[in-house]
Amino acid sequence: MSNVKVKICGLSTEETMEAALEAGADMIGLMFFPKSPRHVSLSDASRLADMARGRAEIVAVTVDMDLDGLSRIKELVNPDIFQLHGSEAPEACAAVKVMQKTKVMKAVSISEKADLEKAHYYATVADWLLFDAKPPKDSEIPGGNGIAYDWTLLKDLDLGKPFMLSGGLDPSNVAEAIRLSGTKAVDVSSGVERERGVKDSNLIRSFMAAVREA
């Protein structure tokens, strides 16, 4: 039985939200980025967050959003964690924590060992770090591209803060990713979709089962 935490990200329907919660997801991610196929309106997000409240941690995923936008999400959705998935500086992460009174997860894009250096700056202010693959040059979205990287880069990494492995995970490879990286938390989005932006309840259940057996 694995004790690895799981975040199912980019949920947008009640059916798939319920599937994720019933399968035992520890965190659920709601996407607030209009260019993403997983973007949800504030009213939909509020309804989905109410389903999850008390059953899983609610993560609001934003990309270089201004403080007004973040405050609006806080007011209407009341997430437990803001995931900052853009080019936000460490100072911005600290400001979000103080002003929104939530935990902060900072996404860091990596493809080689040197990319981990910047993670140390964020580790001083963020509650969580999320390591995702660098997006393709032509991508309009910074995450959820279904790209994997060398998971062994994270082996024995100690930042003094918990970190999450993201990027290219699916039911068939998540156990291997956990083994190679030593991570205690994983994040999946495109790997549990039947088509771009459309989550599949069966794939969510399969992913959760694969993690539990890892």
Side-chain angles (χ1 to χ4, degrees), residues 59-131:
V59 183
V61 184
T62 64
V63 180
D64 298 313
M65 186 177 278
D66 62 28
L67 285 170
D68 283 349
L70 294 170
S71 297
R72 194 112 178 87
I73 294 170
K74 172 68 176 169
E75 179 189 349
L76 295 173
V77 181
N78 193 23
D80 301 295
I81 302 172
F82 270 107
Q83 178 180 324
L84 307 181
H85 212 110
S87 56
E88 301 90 356
E91 297 76 21
C93 298
V96 171
K97 270 184 78 160
V98 172
M99 297 182 80
Q100 307 305 334
K101 298 181 175 59
T102 60
K103 294 184 203 166
V104 166
M105 179 184 292
K106 179 67 183 97
V108 178
S109 300
I110 62 171
S111 63
E112 57 187 357
K113 196 87 176 162
D115 296 325
L116 291 171
E117 286 303 309
K118 59 188 168 193
H120 291 274
Y121 298 108
Y122 288 110
T124 60
V125 290
D127 300 279
W128 276 90
L129 290 155
L130 179 142
F131 293 107

Side-chain angles (χ1 to χ4, degrees), residues 21 45-46 48-56 58 76-80:
L21 294 168
S46 176
L48 292 167
D50 285 344
M51 289 177 67
R53 207 170 309 282
R55 299 170 71 185
I58 300 158
L76 295 173
V77 181
N78 193 23
D80 301 295

Side-chain angles (χ1 to χ4, degrees), residues 2-214:
S2 164
N3 61 350
V4 173
K5 280 185 180 288
V6 178
K7 172 165 158 271
I8 308 286
C9 201
L11 291 159
S12 58
T13 69
E14 291 184 14
E15 183 213 342
T16 53
M17 174 63 78
E18 191 54 46
L21 294 168
E22 281 186 3
D26 301 283
M27 297 180 183
I28 58 91
L30 299 169
M31 180 68 68
F32 299 92
F33 187 55
K35 287 181 179 176
S36 170
R38 304 164 188 103
H39 173 70
V40 284
S41 67
L42 282 167
S43 57
D44 285 349
S46 176
R47 195 177 69 250
L48 292 167
D50 285 344
M51 289 177 67
R53 207 170 309 282
R55 299 170 71 185
E57 285 194 284
I58 300 158
V59 183
V61 184
T62 64
V63 180
D64 298 313
M65 186 177 278
D66 62 28
L67 285 170
D68 283 349
L70 294 170
S71 297
R72 194 112 178 87
I73 294 170
K74 172 68 176 169
E75 179 189 349
L76 295 173
V77 181
N78 193 23
D80 301 295
I81 302 172
F82 270 107
Q83 178 180 324
L84 307 181
H85 212 110
S87 56
E88 301 90 356
E91 297 76 21
C93 298
V96 171
K97 270 184 78 160
V98 172
M99 297 182 80
Q100 307 305 334
K101 298 181 175 59
T102 60
K103 294 184 203 166
V104 166
M105 179 184 292
K106 179 67 183 97
V108 178
S109 300
I110 62 171
S111 63
E112 57 187 357
K113 196 87 176 162
D115 296 325
L116 291 171
E117 286 303 309
K118 59 188 168 193
H120 291 274
Y121 298 108
Y122 288 110
T124 60
V125 290
D127 300 279
W128 276 90
L129 290 155
L130 179 142
F131 293 107
D132 199 0
K134 287 188 174 177
K137 290 271 189 283
D138 59 350
S139 177
E140 285 198 293
I141 57 173
N145 291 296
I147 300 170
Y149 52 90
D150 178 4
W151 295 317
T152 61
L153 289 174
L154 302 181
K155 193 80 174 163
D156 302 321
L157 181 65
D158 183 11
L159 296 165
K161 293 286 170 72
F163 67 83
M164 189 166 271
L165 188 159
S166 181
L169 298 178
D170 61 40
S172 71
N173 68 12
V174 66
E176 178 79 343
I178 291 166
R179 187 179 69 77
L180 289 173
S181 67
T183 188
K184 293 280 185 276
V186 291
D187 168 79
V188 67
S189 185
S190 60
V192 290
E193 291 177 350
R194 59 174 174 267
E195 58 186 87
R196 190 167 156 80
V198 182
K199 294 286 181 285
D200 183 294
S201 295
N202 288 326
L203 286 172
I204 289 171
R205 286 188 276 269
S206 296
F207 187 86
M208 292 298 303
V211 173
R212 296 292 171 245
E213 289 161 18

